[in-house]
Amino acid sequence: DAGITQSPRHKVTETGTPVTLRCHQTENHRYMYWYRQDPGHGLRLIHYSYGVKDTDKGEVSDGYSVSRSKTEDFLLTLESATSSQTSVYFCAISDGHTNTEAFFGQGTRLTVV
Amino acid sequence: AQSVTQLGSHVSVSEGALVLLRCNYSSSVPPYLFWYVQYPNQGLQLLLKYTTGATLVKGINGFEAEFKKSETSFHLTKPSAHMSDAAEYFCAVSDRGSSYKLIFGSGTRLLVRP
């Protein structure tokens, strides 16, 4: 299995509070992604990174920010959590060359109450 | 813009029967195509992928898929379903021109009846 660790695995937070999810990889892959999974929608891309300090928005980026200060870490921040951000969040990595597929972490289940 | 359509949010088959999960895509460039499987409370695991070359690709657990450019399809099949195949399956297309982002279909939950 690809070395991807997401933390925390579960979190319950209150509306309006900031939340940070962490993704850590040991594969030295260039590309990292944050997706959210909701019933009936599959997985939707929130933000992605193509290198240290290089990030860009995905299709559902409103209310989220990211940072990547090191190759191995990609942080997703909900600045002020809302109930609509209750979801399962997945981090994925890809080297974009010989392995064109993405490898996924185990997910973080976030509940905003 | 690229997109993926999976026909049928739920598919039910008997154990030993053929599994067919449908996927159609749209892409302005030659696509990379993927099937992932997700078991309950787990992440996504790659079943198989098409990048270039042979259009019939074989994956893990006896699954295979055929890339048909003329039909813009990448349907997933398995000759004989096993109880352990019960899971959710996602088809995805890669935006290989821009950071290899994956665009997913909405998923198909496979139920296997004894």
Side-chain angles (χ1 to χ4, degrees), chain A residues 9 31 33 35 37 40-43 45 48 50 90 94 96-106 109, chain B residues 32 34 36 38 41-46 49-51 88 90 94 98-107:
Chain A
R9 293 292 313 280
Y31 300 98
Y33 314 87
Y35 290 88
Q37 182 179 21
H41 291 278
L43 282 82
L45 182 65
Y48 65 99
Y50 47 95
F90 286 98
S94 172
H97 295 293
T98 54
N99 293 312
T100 55
E101 66 268 30
F103 299 94
F104 284 79
Q106 292 298 296
R109 183 173 297 276
Chain B
Y32 289 162
F34 306 86
Y36 284 85
Q38 184 182 34
N41 300 313
Q42 294 189 24
L44 278 71
Q45 179 184 1
L46 180 71
K49 65 179 180 181
Y50 168 79
T51 54
E88 190 154 23
F90 293 94
S94 173
S98 177
S99 300
Y100 301 92
K101 304 186 297 290
L102 289 175
I103 298 162
F104 285 87
S106 56

Side-chain angles (χ1 to χ4, degrees), chain B residues 1-82:
Chain B
Q2 295 174 311
S3 66
V4 176
T5 302
Q6 291 185 240
L7 296 177
S9 59
H10 291 79
V11 170
S12 180
V13 300
S14 297
E15 191 173 19
L18 171 72
V19 176
L20 171 61
L21 304 182
R22 300 179 185 274
C23 173
N24 289 89
Y25 70 92
S26 67
S27 175
S28 58
V29 298
Y32 289 162
L33 294 161
F34 306 86
W35 276 99
Y36 284 85
V37 60
Q38 184 182 34
Y39 298 101
N41 300 313
Q42 294 189 24
L44 278 71
Q45 179 184 1
L46 180 71
L47 272 180
L48 50 78
K49 65 179 180 181
Y50 168 79
T51 54
T52 59
T55 56
L56 181 64
V57 293
K58 297 184 184 298
I60 62 172
N61 301 336
F63 285 92
E64 63 182 35
E66 186 172 11
F67 168 58
K68 292 187 176 182
K69 184 178 179 180
S70 62
E71 299 178 7
T72 60
S73 68
F74 191 56
H75 300 332
L76 182 69
T77 60
K78 182 175 180 178
S80 177
H82 191 272

Side-chain angles (χ1 to χ4, degrees), chain A residues 2-112:
Chain A
I4 309 171
T5 305
Q6 291 186 231
S7 59
R9 293 292 313 280
H10 301 271
K11 186 172 182 65
V12 179
T13 192
E14 293 186 349
T15 298
T17 60
V19 177
T20 296
L21 308 183
R22 180 180 184 240
C23 178
H24 178 78
Q25 63 147 327
T26 59
E27 304 296 323
N28 200 37
H29 282 359
R30 176 182 178 186
Y31 300 98
M32 299 186 75
Y33 314 87
W34 277 107
Y35 290 88
R36 59 178 289 174
Q37 182 179 21
D38 304 290
H41 291 278
L43 282 82
R44 294 177 291 174
L45 182 65
I46 305 171
H47 281 279
Y48 65 99
S49 169
Y50 47 95
V52 174
K53 297 186 179 179
D54 292 323
T55 64
D56 205 348
K57 296 178 179 180
E59 63 175 308
V60 290
S61 60
D62 287 349
Y64 301 94
S65 63
V66 290
S67 66
R68 190 172 180 196
S69 58
K70 299 183 291 184
T71 298
E72 57 266 35
D73 289 325
F74 193 32
L75 304 181
L76 177 70
T77 297
L78 290 66
E79 302 291 347
S80 177
T82 67
S83 59
S84 64
Q85 294 176 312
T86 292
S87 187
V88 181
Y89 291 85
F90 286 98
C91 175
I93 63 174
S94 172
D95 70 10
H97 295 293
T98 54
N99 293 312
T100 55
E101 66 268 30
F103 299 94
F104 284 79
Q106 292 298 296
T108 295
R109 183 173 297 276
L110 177 67
T111 302
V112 183

